[in-house]
Amino acid sequence: MVAITSWGRLVQAEHAITPLADRVGAGTAIRHATPGLAHGMGRSYGDACLNPGGALWLTRGLDRFISFDPDSGRLACEAGVLLRDIQRLAVPRGWMLPVTPGTQLATVGGAVANDVHGKNHHVVGSFGDQVTRLTLLRTDGDVIECGPDTRPDWFAATVGGIGLTGLVTAAEIQLRRVAGPWLESETLVYRSLEEFLALADASEADWEHTVSWIDCLSGGHRGLFMRARHAEGADGPPPKGGAKRMPLTPPVSLVNGLSLRAFNAAYFRMNARKKGRARVHYEPFFYPLDNLLEWNRMYGPRGFYQYQCVIPREQGRVALQAILDEIARSGNGSFLAVLKTFGNRSSLGMLGFPRPGITLALDFPNKGLPTERLFARLDAVVGEARGCLYLAKDARMPRSLFEAGYPRLPQFLPYRDPGISSAMSRRLMGY
C-alpha cells in the first residue's frame, strides 16, 4: 500500500497501486484489482481522484500519441497524455487545444472525467465539446467506443463522470487552428460586481478568452479583468524563464490574514499599473500557476480547500455579493480568487459542471472547524440560488447540495461501473 494525496493535500490515504503500461493489457490489470479508480496526475483538489483502501490504476504510462492529422487537426492519443504534450506537439504545426484548464499538467483522461473548462466557455464550451470519440474499458472486460454521435448516452455519462463509468484508455480530440502561440491581451480594472458583469458582457463578442481576479477582502470588490484573443502572425515575446519549484512544505500556511491582505493589495496595485494591451505567449496567460511547481505546498501540512461554485445569472450578482460578504466577515479569504462567466450552454456530461451562469473559485487554507462553518454558510447561499459546486475541486460538499445541483444524477447512476469506486462516490452516492 502507498500513501497518495490529491492536489489539496488534505489527507494522505493508503492505496494499492497498479501502474498501467499499455491500453491493450489494461483490461487484465483492472479486472484483478477492484474496487479501483483511474489516477492520472492527481490534480483534482479533493477526493475525486482517491480511493482509500482500494486500488488506484496509474494512467501516466498510457502516454502515447496514436495519430495526428495536420490537415484536419484531429488528434488521437492515450488517456495518460498530458495536455502540455499535446500543446507542444500541436502549436508548432498551427493547432492548439480549444479548451484547457488553469494547468496544462493534467492528463487527457482527467480532462474528460472532470469535463474541464477554460477561459473561453462562451465561445467553444468545455473539454467534452472538443472530444469526438472515447474508448472506455469496463472492469468486466467490455470495451465501449462512444462519442457525441456514437452511443451518446455512454459519452454523456463519461464526460464529467469523475471516472466512475470505466477506464478511459484513449480519446480523439478536434484541435483548433491558430496562427501561432501568441495572444493579444488586455487588462482592465473594475471596482464592483456590476462593473465586472458589464465588462464580461461587452467582451464576449470580440474576445475569446475572458477571466478576472477579484480581491475578495476588499469591500468594493475591486478586481482585474483579463481578456485575450489569438493573435495574427507568429511574432511575439518568448515566455520568461523556466518554472520554479516550491522547495518545501512550511510548518504553517503561508496564506493567513496578514499575508493575504498584503498580497491582494500589492497584486492589485502592480497589475493595475500595467493595465492595457500586450502580446503574450499562451502559456503564462493560460497557465500562470504552472510557473511555480508544487505551489500547493504553501498552505502547509494541513492542506487547503478550493471552493468553486456556479450561480445562475439571474441570481448571480446578489448571491455572489452574499458569498463575498461572508468571506470578508470571516477574514478567511483567498488570493487565488477567480471570477468569470460561462456561456449560454451546458456541459454535454450528465454530471458536468459548466452551465450558464457566473463561476467563482477560491482557495482556503484548512483551519478546521472555522473553515467548515464558513463553507456551510457559503453552501446555503449557493443552494438558495440554485447553484452547484465543481466536483473536480470538492472535498466536503454535503450530499443534499450535490443532489440538488446535479439533477441528472439518477440518469447517470445506471452507467456506473460496479468495479470502480472513489472516496467522492462513497461520500456523495453511497458506494
Side-chain angles (χ1 to χ4, degrees):
M1 302 291 278
V2 178
I4 301 290
T5 189
S6 63
W7 191 248
R9 305 180 73 249
L10 291 162
V11 297
Q12 283 203 343
E14 297 289 322
H15 296 80
I17 299 302
T18 303
L20 302 180
D22 69 273
R23 63 186 187 279
V24 176
T28 301
I30 70 173
R31 276 200 300 272
H32 294 285
T34 55
L37 180 71
H39 183 94
M41 290 291 285
R43 284 296 179 122
S44 294
Y45 284 63
D47 55 3
C49 62
L50 300 178
N51 184 25
L56 285 183
W57 309 317
L58 305 186
T59 64
R60 279 293 289 122
L62 305 178
D63 60 354
R64 299 164 186 85
F65 290 105
I66 299 169
S67 65
F68 175 56
D69 184 343
D71 295 322
S72 68
R74 192 65 62 89
L75 173 100
C77 65
E78 293 181 335
V81 169
L82 293 181
L83 303 185
R84 179 195 63 192
D85 297 334
I86 294 177
Q87 299 288 59
R88 291 181 178 178
L89 169 76
V91 172
R93 294 166 173 82
W95 297 95
M96 182 178 284
L97 282 167
V99 172
T100 60
T103 178
Q104 58 182 335
L105 301 176
T107 64
V108 167
V112 170
N114 295 287
D115 194 21
V116 297
H117 54 273
K119 299 173 176 65
N120 58 347
H121 181 267
H122 61 284
V123 176
V124 298
S126 53
F127 195 86
D129 290 291
Q130 323 311 318
V131 177
T132 56
R133 188 178 74 247
L134 292 174
T135 301
L136 184 68
L137 176 63
R138 304 273 285 181
T139 57
D140 62 5
D142 283 353
V143 177
I144 297 173
E145 298 285 345
C146 59
D149 301 315
T150 305
R151 307 193 77 173
D153 54 337
W154 280 100
F155 186 74
T158 302
V159 169
I162 53 175
L164 298 178
T165 63
L167 172 68
V168 174
T169 59
E172 185 180 76
I173 305 163
Q174 178 60 58
L175 304 181
R176 62 154 295 167
R177 179 75 75 177
V178 293
W182 312 109
L183 301 171
E184 178 189 350
S185 72
E186 184 173 24
T187 299
L188 304 103
V189 172
Y190 65 88
R191 298 186 181 276
S192 69
L193 289 177
E194 289 81 3
E195 284 188 42
F196 159 76
L197 291 170
L199 280 171
D201 291 343
S203 300
E204 286 192 355
D206 297 323
W207 298 85
E208 178 174 342
H209 304 280
T210 62
V211 68
S212 83
W213 170 85
I214 186 167
D215 184 350
C216 60
L217 294 181
S218 67
H221 305 312
R222 65 186 179 183
L224 302 163
F225 188 92
M226 286 78 75
R227 56 192 186 185
R229 53 195 171 206
H230 291 274
E232 296 299 325
D235 296 328
K240 296 179 181 179
K244 310 298 182 185
R245 185 178 298 274
M246 186 74 183
L248 51 82
T249 302
V252 296
S253 174
L254 299 182
V255 181
N256 53 60
L258 290 176
S259 67
L260 185 62
R261 290 187 182 276
F263 174 88
N264 280 9
Y267 186 82
F268 179 81
R269 286 196 303 270
M270 178 181 67
N271 287 279
R273 286 196 299 266
K274 296 190 297 185
K275 66 180 180 179
R277 294 196 180 190
R279 178 167 283 215
V280 298
H281 193 274
Y282 75 90
E283 286 190 342
F285 185 84
F286 290 156
Y287 321 114
L289 290 177
D290 283 356
N291 284 326
L292 181 59
L293 302 177
E294 297 185 271
W295 60 263
N296 54 343
R297 290 181 172 186
M298 74 174 66
Y299 287 93
R302 298 186 70 181
F304 73 104
Y305 294 90
Q306 185 167 110
Y307 191 97
Q308 183 168 3
C309 61
V310 60
I311 305 293
R313 185 61 181 265
E314 55 270 24
Q315 290 89 26
R317 194 199 65 75
V318 173
L320 288 170
Q321 183 72 59
I323 289 171
L324 292 167
D325 287 348
E326 287 286 358
I327 292 169
R329 279 194 293 269
S330 75
N332 188 18
S334 169
F335 73 85
L336 296 173
V338 178
L339 180 65
K340 73 174 277 51
T341 53
F342 282 146
N344 191 27
R345 59 198 298 172
S346 295
S347 169
L348 297 174
M350 296 175 187
L351 298 185
F353 172 74
R355 62 196 71 184
I358 309 168
T359 179
L360 175 66
L362 311 106
D363 290 349
F364 295 93
N366 176 19
K367 296 181 179 179
L369 189 58
T371 306
E372 294 172 18
R373 288 172 173 166
L374 170 62
F375 288 160
R377 297 194 297 273
L378 302 186
D379 288 347
V381 176
V382 173
E384 179 68 21
R386 302 196 303 277
C388 74
L389 304 186
Y390 191 12
L391 297 176
K393 309 294 181 68
D394 179 60
R396 37 67 51 199
M397 180 191 342
R399 191 166 177 177
S400 58
L401 184 59
F402 168 62
E403 292 175 347
Y406 291 88
R408 297 181 70 185
L409 175 63
Q411 184 183 351
F412 166 81
L413 291 175
Y415 294 92
R416 279 201 58 178
D417 188 318
I420 293 178
S421 182
S422 71
M424 175 172 280
S425 73
R426 295 192 286 275
R427 174 169 58 88
L428 295 178
M429 304 177 198
Y431 68 101

